[in-house]
Amino acid sequence: MKILYFSSTGNCLHIAKELSGENFAIPKLISENKFSFKDDVIGIVFPIYGLCIPPYIEEFLQNIEVKCNYLFAIATYGFFPGSVCTELSKMTLKNGRKFDYINKLKMAENCITFADMKNQKGDSKSQQKQIKKIINEIKSRIHFKQKDSLFHKIMTAHHKKNFEYPTGIGILNQISINSNCTGCGLCARICPTGNITITSRKPSFAQNCISCGGCIQNCPNTAIHHRKEKSTARYRNPYIKTEELILRN
């Protein structure tokens, strides 16, 4: 089983590890120009951003070719999933393949502009129960596509039209760096698009931001801030170490 995942705070990486397959970080695959995959079972695990499939992930899915007997997708969310399952069910991969199994999974909310991170727990009993259920369904190769209500569809369409952050400037005009920064470079090594470089011992941002917030959440000195953050608390999935999220040397 091959699992292609994207994770900035560890939620999706935790799910990928629980599935006990061969795990591949989507940003690394993109940087290495790898878009063709073959296995008996292939899965995609990614977070929902603002009720939508992140444009970064949507573009990746539209450019991959997969040859497998069973293809699944798991989309994680914190508060409201929108109609991402419907969006996935409509999607056809580059070689004409469609998903056999699509489901969503509620995890800790990791959007710092929406929730206070000190209140987020990544290990509730209900969450673990749902993870086990989804894993068992995938191992049993159940064909299933989660349905979305009309309300969910309307909300996703509204958000996509008015609030979605495309790849580019992203959230960069809302980020600041304070004197706690030591120039350690962890943010640059975690950034999925390689959008951060360390210049004069400070992060310097280009214009290839996908608004994942990985640099903010993983800074060891809480030096990077969003102007609308609810508090200075930060979140990482309790089962995942920071080193596991590093994408480059």
Side-chain angles (χ1 to χ4, degrees):
M1 181 194 300
K2 284 185 174 66
I3 303 160
L4 320 180
Y5 74 90
F6 174 59
S7 191
S8 59
T9 61
N11 283 341
C12 289
L13 177 53
H14 172 53
I15 302 306
K17 289 175 72 174
E18 287 288 292
L19 285 158
S20 301
E22 231 186 326
N23 297 332
F24 299 89
I26 289 174
K28 279 191 175 183
L29 295 172
I30 293 173
S31 68
E32 294 168 2
N33 203 33
K34 293 180 179 177
F35 296 98
S36 182
F37 310 96
K38 185 178 180 179
D39 207 324
D40 182 32
V41 178
I42 294 177
I44 315 289
V45 184
F46 68 91
I48 294 171
Y49 282 1
L51 323 187
C52 306
I53 303 171
Y56 176 76
I57 298 300
E58 190 166 12
E59 183 179 351
F60 173 75
L61 293 176
Q62 290 168 347
N63 283 286
I64 63 173
E65 295 183 3
V66 297
K67 293 181 180 179
C68 62
N69 293 315
Y70 187 73
L71 179 65
F72 70 87
I74 301 172
T76 68
Y77 70 101
F79 175 68
F80 186 73
S83 62
V84 163
C85 290
T86 298
E87 298 293 308
L88 284 169
S89 67
K90 293 176 182 176
M91 188 173 290
T92 302
L93 306 188
K94 192 174 180 180
N95 62 328
R97 191 65 163 81
K98 296 182 81 70
F99 288 100
D100 301 305
Y101 179 94
I102 298 171
N103 213 336
K104 58 194 176 188
L105 176 60
K106 184 172 175 59
M107 304 286 285
E109 174 60 69
N110 60 8
C111 177
I112 62 170
T113 63
F114 183 79
D116 190 333
M117 295 299 98
K118 70 174 181 286
N119 298 325
Q120 302 309 306
K121 294 179 174 61
D123 190 27
S124 68
K125 287 184 179 179
S126 61
Q127 181 187 108
Q128 291 305 313
K129 183 178 179 181
Q130 183 66 7
I131 290 172
K132 288 179 181 178
K133 178 179 180 293
I134 287 176
I135 289 173
N136 287 335
E137 289 175 347
I138 289 169
K139 287 183 177 178
S140 300
R141 301 198 186 188
I142 289 174
H143 284 238
F144 170 78
K145 296 178 184 180
Q146 178 68 56
K147 303 290 186 183
D148 295 314
S149 70
L150 177 61
F151 175 70
H152 283 69
K153 293 174 184 177
I154 291 171
M155 291 302 292
T156 288
H158 175 71
H159 190 95
K160 217 169 191 177
K161 181 179 179 181
N162 297 290
F163 302 110
E164 189 170 59
Y165 285 110
T167 300
I169 194 66
I171 58 172
L172 295 181
N173 58 3
Q174 300 176 64
I175 286 179
S176 63
I177 302 167
N178 68 22
S179 59
N180 290 344
C181 179
T182 63
C184 72
L186 181 63
C187 55
R189 288 181 287 149
I190 280 178
C191 179
T193 61
N195 193 53
I196 305 173
T197 54
I198 304 301
T199 306
S200 301
R201 295 186 60 80
K202 295 290 181 183
S204 176
F205 299 87
Q207 292 193 8
N208 196 28
C209 174
I210 61 171
S211 307
C212 73
C215 57
I216 301 172
Q217 296 280 32
N218 293 289
C219 176
N221 299 300
T222 321
I224 307 176
H225 296 267
H226 192 291
R227 65 182 178 87
K228 294 182 180 179
E229 64 188 39
K230 297 297 182 182
S231 77
T232 57
R234 299 293 184 255
Y235 171 83
R236 187 179 70 254
N237 186 281
Y239 292 99
I240 301 300
K241 297 177 181 177
T242 307
E243 308 88 76
E244 296 180 89
L245 298 171
I246 291 173
L247 298 167
R248 54 185 55 81
N249 297 325

